[in-house]
């Protein structure tokens, strides 16, 4: 019963989002009128009152209004130039979600287990059966709830609460006041190489489960479209992909948390991931497709995302070095810039000082040194007592120095 009610809520949110998108698009294309959130909310009232769409009354109006809020946010990001024009949501293609504000749910905290409790959603007959992965801050009342369902059919409850995260104590080098820094070189042969030589091996999860995925994909295409057996095969594939994603995120989460706890400054290279994954045409396209799959499997974007928000939370500084900095072919001992290196070259010898370098470790050391140079440039420009920002980007260094 509860799953059916959530299914109806997801469908209503998707329908309202699509109708709001159509209304705003048509208003501009046909009449050159800019319709906003207020206009779509008035349209929502008429949709709920119309006999053809009276089924919208079975879903809480606050949830449907939040779907229009999400649409308005998508337009805002589009006008700012940070996202593409909003697209229609499709059943079984888009993520199913429903957001409840404070008036759309009831929260009763469990006195025996503070931070957990009963959650009753508007227009739902029974409270949600929640398995809490972590307790909320004691005494805090949730501000917003979001129920989502992934392609594997799993339901998740995301809770927004107001909490102040205390920064971690500053980490300095032994016997000095210089902040401890670490350089990270991201790669495919080794997922992450640190400047001290430590390496996080690439688990290659997609490659590990490639045969199993291929077998289930063949099973899927043998099933008749629209049949229950085809849906079972689809869910089986989705569960395997969900398992791969969970393992990958958990590994990166543990690794990034340790790095943030042990270091004050973290330095990475500004990777153009979208450009690296751009499809190739003509000769070499098969090799490029394999490279793109490896980049997806490496999840560089997720690793950088986690570093960004954890540095902001815990009072650390993430320095992003320019992508054109020659970290790989510059000697970390004498700073001599060598020739371009093929991806197959894992070790090389400096022609000036004759030091033998591991390709990835040398790049990590160069990134750390360049990152600390940028860090001290920003720190020197700040007034006394002010700490550097959580993110320092080489391409935006002039703006940061002016703001300081």
């Amino acid at each position: 019963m509860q799953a059916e009610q959530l299914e109806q809520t997801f469908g209503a949110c998707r329908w309202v989002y699509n109708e709001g998108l159509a209304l705003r698009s048509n208003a501009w294309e046909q009449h050159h009128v800019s319709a906003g959130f207020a206009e779509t909310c008035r349209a929502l009232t008429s949709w709920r009152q119309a006999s053809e769409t009276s089924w919208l009354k079975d879903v809480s109006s606050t949830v449907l209004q939040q779907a229009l809020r999400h649409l308005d946010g998508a337009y805002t990001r589009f006008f700012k130039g940070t996202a593409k024009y909003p697209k229609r949501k499709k059943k079984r293609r888009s993520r199913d979600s429903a957001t409840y504000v404070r008036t759309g749910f009831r929260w009763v905290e469990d006195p025996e287990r503070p931070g957990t409790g009963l959650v009753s959603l508007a227009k739902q007959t029974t409270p949600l059966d929640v398995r809490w992965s972590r307790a909320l801050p004691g005494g805090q009342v949730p501000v917003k709830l979001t129920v989502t369902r992934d392609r594997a059919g799993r339901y998740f409850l995301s809770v927004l609460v107001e909490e102040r995260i205390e920064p971690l104590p500053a980490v300095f080098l032994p016997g000095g006041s210089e902040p401890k820094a670490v350089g990270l070189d991201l790669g495919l042969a080794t997922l992450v190489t640190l400047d001290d030589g430590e390496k996080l091996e690439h688990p290659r999860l997609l490659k590990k489960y490639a045969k199993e995925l291929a077998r289930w994909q063949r099973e899927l295409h043998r099933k008749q479209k629209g049949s229950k057996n085809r849906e079972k095969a689809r869910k089986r594939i989705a569960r395997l992909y969900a398992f791969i994603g969970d393992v990958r995120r958990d590994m990166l989460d543990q690794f990034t948390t340790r790095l943030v706890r042990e270091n004050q400054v973290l330095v990475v290279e500004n990777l153009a991931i979208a450009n690296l994954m751009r499809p190739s045409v003509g000769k070499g396209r098969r090799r490029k497709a394999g490279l793109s799959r490896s980049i997806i499997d490496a999840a560089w974007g997720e690793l950088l995302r986690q570093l960004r928000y954890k540095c902001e939370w815990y009072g650390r500084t993430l320095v992003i070095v320019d992508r054109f900095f020659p970290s790989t072919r510059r000697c970390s001992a004498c700073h001599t810039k060598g020739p371009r290196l093929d991806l197959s070259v894992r070790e090389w010898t400096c022609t000036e000082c004759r030091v033998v370098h591991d390709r990835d470790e040398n790049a990590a050391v160069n990134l750390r040194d360049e990152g600390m140079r940028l860090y001290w440039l920003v720190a020197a420009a700040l007034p006394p007592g002010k700490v550097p920002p959580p993110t320092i980007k080489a391409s935006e260094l002039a703006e940061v120095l002016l703001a300081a």
Side-chain angles (χ1 to χ4, degrees), residues 89-163:
K89 291 180 179 289
K90 297 181 180 180
K91 189 174 182 180
R92 299 190 183 91
R93 290 288 183 180
S94 304
R95 188 185 67 162
D96 294 323
S97 67
T99 301
Y100 295 78
V101 294
R102 189 65 192 90
T103 56
F105 66 91
R106 186 162 59 91
W107 162 260
V108 180
E109 188 170 12
D110 187 350
E112 297 182 359
R113 297 178 58 198
T116 65
L118 290 177
V119 178
S120 301
L121 304 178
K123 301 281 187 175
Q124 295 281 321
T125 54
T126 57
L128 295 178
D129 183 15
V130 182
R131 289 187 295 176
W132 296 92
S133 60
R134 55 175 292 191
L136 305 180
Q140 291 285 344
V141 177
V143 178
K144 188 184 293 186
L145 300 179
T146 301
V147 183
T148 58
R149 181 178 62 182
D150 65 5
R151 296 295 302 280
R154 302 179 302 176
Y155 292 86
F156 296 91
L157 179 68
S158 303
V159 183
L160 177 65
V161 294
E162 200 171 320
E163 180 186 14

Side-chain angles (χ1 to χ4, degrees), residues 23 145 175 202 297 368 394 400:
L23 187 149
L145 300 179
H202 194 337
D297 202 5
R368 181 201 62 195
V400 175

Side-chain angles (χ1 to χ4, degrees), residues 1-296:
M1 183 65 179
Q2 202 170 71
E4 293 176 1
Q5 292 173 335
L6 288 174
E7 175 75 29
Q8 185 181 23
T9 302
F10 294 148
C13 289
R14 184 171 56 250
W15 188 90
V16 168
Y17 183 97
N18 291 338
E19 288 298 309
L21 176 59
L23 187 149
R24 295 180 66 156
S25 298
N26 294 336
W28 179 255
E29 292 173 1
Q30 299 176 8
H31 308 287
H32 288 279
V33 175
S34 178
F37 174 71
E39 288 75 17
T40 54
C41 277
R42 284 195 288 270
L44 174 61
T45 303
S46 63
W47 294 335
R48 286 168 61 89
Q49 293 174 350
S51 58
E52 299 85 0
T53 53
S54 60
W55 49 270
L56 289 174
K57 294 181 180 179
D58 297 334
V59 179
S60 172
S61 61
T62 59
V63 181
L64 302 180
Q65 286 176 355
Q66 286 302 306
L68 296 176
R69 283 281 184 196
H70 294 161
L71 174 63
D72 192 56
Y75 268 99
T76 302
R77 291 188 293 274
F78 168 71
F79 290 130
K80 286 182 178 179
T82 59
K84 295 182 179 180
Y85 191 79
K87 293 182 179 180
R88 290 177 57 87
K89 291 180 179 289
K90 297 181 180 180
K91 189 174 182 180
R92 299 190 183 91
R93 290 288 183 180
S94 304
R95 188 185 67 162
D96 294 323
S97 67
T99 301
Y100 295 78
V101 294
R102 189 65 192 90
T103 56
F105 66 91
R106 186 162 59 91
W107 162 260
V108 180
E109 188 170 12
D110 187 350
E112 297 182 359
R113 297 178 58 198
T116 65
L118 290 177
V119 178
S120 301
L121 304 178
K123 301 281 187 175
Q124 295 281 321
T125 54
T126 57
L128 295 178
D129 183 15
V130 182
R131 289 187 295 176
W132 296 92
S133 60
R134 55 175 292 191
L136 305 180
Q140 291 285 344
V141 177
V143 178
K144 188 184 293 186
L145 300 179
T146 301
V147 183
T148 58
R149 181 178 62 182
D150 65 5
R151 296 295 302 280
R154 302 179 302 176
Y155 292 86
F156 296 91
L157 179 68
S158 303
V159 183
L160 177 65
V161 294
E162 200 171 320
E163 180 186 14
R164 178 176 174 81
I165 300 175
E166 295 296 330
L168 294 172
V171 182
F172 300 101
L173 291 174
S177 59
E178 184 175 351
K180 186 179 179 185
V182 61
L184 292 82
D185 179 63
L186 309 186
L188 296 177
T190 302
L191 187 57
V192 182
T193 303
L194 305 185
D195 56 70
D196 60 359
E198 180 186 347
K199 298 188 177 185
L200 176 66
E201 295 301 326
H202 194 337
R204 305 180 193 279
L205 294 170
L206 284 178
K207 186 176 181 180
K208 180 179 179 181
Y209 293 100
K211 290 184 178 179
E212 189 173 349
L213 284 169
R215 186 175 77 251
W216 290 123
Q217 288 283 2
R218 288 193 295 270
E219 287 288 330
L220 175 69
H221 289 290
R222 291 191 188 106
K223 309 299 182 185
Q224 183 179 357
K225 287 188 177 181
S227 66
K228 291 185 177 180
N229 285 335
R230 186 181 177 91
E231 180 63 16
K232 290 179 183 178
R234 186 200 64 78
K235 284 189 176 181
R236 193 179 293 115
I237 295 171
R239 282 195 293 268
L240 183 52
Y241 272 116
F243 170 76
I244 292 172
D246 291 344
V247 172
R248 184 189 291 127
R249 277 189 297 271
D250 182 65
M251 177 196 66
L252 293 178
D253 191 47
Q254 294 185 39
F255 181 69
T256 53
T257 299
R258 180 172 68 85
L259 288 180
V260 169
R261 289 184 181 278
E262 295 177 354
N263 300 278
Q264 185 66 27
V265 181
L266 297 93
V267 186
V268 296
E269 186 179 3
N270 186 14
L271 296 172
I273 301 175
N275 293 346
L276 291 171
M277 294 178 57
R278 189 172 296 165
S280 178
V281 179
K283 188 177 180 181
R285 63 182 183 276
R286 288 179 177 267
R287 182 182 179 187
K288 184 64 172 63
L291 178 64
S292 298
R293 281 195 299 271
S294 297
I295 294 173
I296 293 173

